[in-house]
Amino acid sequence: MAMAMDDTAHEQQMLVQWCMAAQVFTESEFRQAIQRTYCTEEEEDTEEIQPVIEQINSSMSAFSLELRSCMDQTSGIRNWALVNTNADTISTGATPYTASELVTLKTLVEGVFTEKMGNYSLSLHEALRMATKRNGTVAGTLTRAETESLIRKFCADGWLATDPDGGYVVLGARSIIELQSFFNVGFADYIRLCSLCKEMATSGIMCMECMEAVHPYCANRLASASGNQLTCPACNKHIEQPRKFGPGERGIPHIVESVAGSVRGDSVGLDEPATQSIKKLRIEDSSDDEE
Amino acid sequence: MEEDSQASGRYAIDLVRYALACHASGKPIKREGIKAQVLATSSIRSARTVHERANELLTQHFGLKMVALPSHEKRLTDNTQAPPTQQQAKPVPAATKWVLQSVLKDRAREQLELVQTQEQREVLGFAAMVLSLVFVSNMSVSMDQLVLYVRKLGPPRCVVATGEDTESDSLSDVQMESRAREAIAYLTRHTYLDKVKMSGGGGDAGVSETQATQQQLGDGDHHDEGMVYTWGPKAKTEFQPIDMARFIAAATGQECNDEFVKTIGRAYGSNIAATT
C-alpha cells in the first residue's frame, strides 16, 4: 500500500478520532477508514493494517489507550476497539451511563459470565428479572419496560448482544474486548479459552477428553482442513460427539472458586479482586446423572 | 526545575486522559474535576502550564483541543445583542468548563465519515434546524414562535421524553404542543438553547404575545413572560455562523455563495466570515 507518509501525524489524528467515534468496529470498517484517510483505493491484506495499528498503539500507550480486538466466535469477523488499559479513577469516569445504569450493566455482565450451566447466556426473561431485581446498593428498581429499553441500549453500545434467534442475552464484542482485566481478576475460574486461537470462548464445543474448548468458527476451520473430521487441537483426540455450550445449548458447568459460605453470583466490584478465603465448589449438572 | 517539568508532563498526560474521559461521558471538563482528579496531589504552581501542555498533547496525538465553554447568556437587549463570536469590551471571566473540539479541517472530517448513531444524527439535525431559526431571527426567538416552529418541524422521538411511536397527524393539538415544549426543554437542558430575559422594547411585545397565546391555550404558566431563546454554550461551541449559512443553503437548496452569505449575515445582524 502506498501510504502518504509525509502527513503521518495528521492521518493518525484522523484515524484516532474515527476510532473514538466508532467505539467498536470490524476490521473491514477499519480498513475502509484507513483507505479514506490515506486516500488509497487498493484492497489491503490483513498484514498491511498491522503497521497502522502498531503506530497508533505506540502513540496511545502514554495515555493508557490501546487498540484491541476479539474475533466473532461464529463468523470469524474480527472486531476492534480503542480501550483504556488503566482502570483508575480517571478512566472509570469515561462512561455515558448513570450510576444506576452501570450497576445494572455490571449485574447483567456478571450474570451472563457466571451462568451456572456454562453457556455464558441468559434467557431474555432471566436477564429482565435479574436487572429488575438488581443486586446492588443503588436505591430503586427498574420497571420491566425500562429494563428492556436499557438492555437494548447496552446491546446498541456493544456491551451485550442477543443471539440470532433473539431469545438469549450474551456478551457483546465490547465487553469481551474491554473487560478482559475485569474477568481475569474476579472471574478467572469461569474463563474458557479456545484451544486453537487462544481467545476467550463463550460459545463453542468442548472436548470431553481434555475439557478444552473450541470456537464454532475454529471448529469449522479444523473440520474443513481435515475432511470433516474434528480433532481436538489440545489433545489430538477425535471429537466424536461434540458437547456444545452457548446460548440455547445444554452447556458444560463450571468448576469455580467461591467466597467461603456464600453462593456464587454475588456482585464483585470491578476494581475489587477476590481476596477473601476461598473453597472449591462444583456446580452439578443434573443432566450428567442421567448419562 | 527539571523535576517540575517532569511532573508537569505527567499531570498533562493525566489531564489528557481526564479530558477524553469527560468527552466519552458527554460531560464538560470542569475546573473542580481537574483539581480533584488530576492535580489533587500536585505541587505544581501553575495549572495553566499543565493545561497548555495537555492541549499540545491533545492536538499532536488526537487532533483535538480543549476550548472554553461559553457561559450561559443571562440577558439580551434589543440593540446590544452581540453575535457570540465577537469579543466583548467587558472583562471575560476565567473559564471553568471546557469541551474537546476537533482541530481537523472540515474537509478531513468529511473525508473520515465519522460514525454517528441514529439518535446522534437526529438530535444534531433537529438542533441545527432550531438553531438556524434563532440565527436568522437576530439570535432571539420568543417561546411562542419557537413552539410553533418546532410543532411544524415535528421533533424526533429521542428528544421527547413521553414520545410514543405516533405519527403527528394522529396527535391532538395539546399533545403536539406538549411534545414541542418537551423538545425545546431538551435543547435547553443540553445547552443548545438558553432561555433569557429580554429587556427593552422588543421584550414588551414578546410579553404581550406570550400572554395572549397562553390565554388562548388556557395555560396558567407565565414563566415565559419577557423570556426569549437564544443560542446556548453548546451551540456556540459546535456551530459557527458560516456553518449556519451552509446549513440553511443546503436545507433550502440554494448555493452558498458570497451573496447568500451576505443575505444570511444581514438576518444574523453581522457579517459572517468563512473561517475554514
Side-chain angles (χ1 to χ4, degrees), chain A residues 229-269:
Chain A
Q229 296 267 339
L230 187 54
T231 304
C232 174
C235 65
N236 289 319
K237 297 277 174 63
H238 178 56
I239 302 176
E240 295 277 354
Q241 289 175 334
R243 182 79 177 270
K244 292 181 182 178
F245 64 97
E249 302 293 350
R250 285 174 58 207
I252 298 103
H254 294 288
I255 299 174
V256 300
E257 294 176 347
S258 175
V259 174
S262 69
V263 176
R264 195 62 177 177
D266 290 346
S267 294
V268 175

Side-chain angles (χ1 to χ4, degrees), chain B residues 49-66:
Chain B
T49 309
V50 173
H51 200 279
E52 286 172 357
R53 179 65 186 137
N55 252 347
E56 286 172 13
L57 292 172
L58 277 167
T59 302
Q60 180 187 347
H61 293 277
F62 298 87
L64 299 168
K65 66 177 179 183
M66 285 184 282

Side-chain angles (χ1 to χ4, degrees), chain A residues 112-129:
Chain A
V112 166
F113 204 70
T114 60
E115 185 270 329
K116 67 175 185 179
M117 293 308 295
N119 284 318
Y120 302 97
S121 64
L122 295 172
S123 68
L124 199 51
H125 173 77
E126 179 62 18
L128 288 170
R129 188 198 66 81

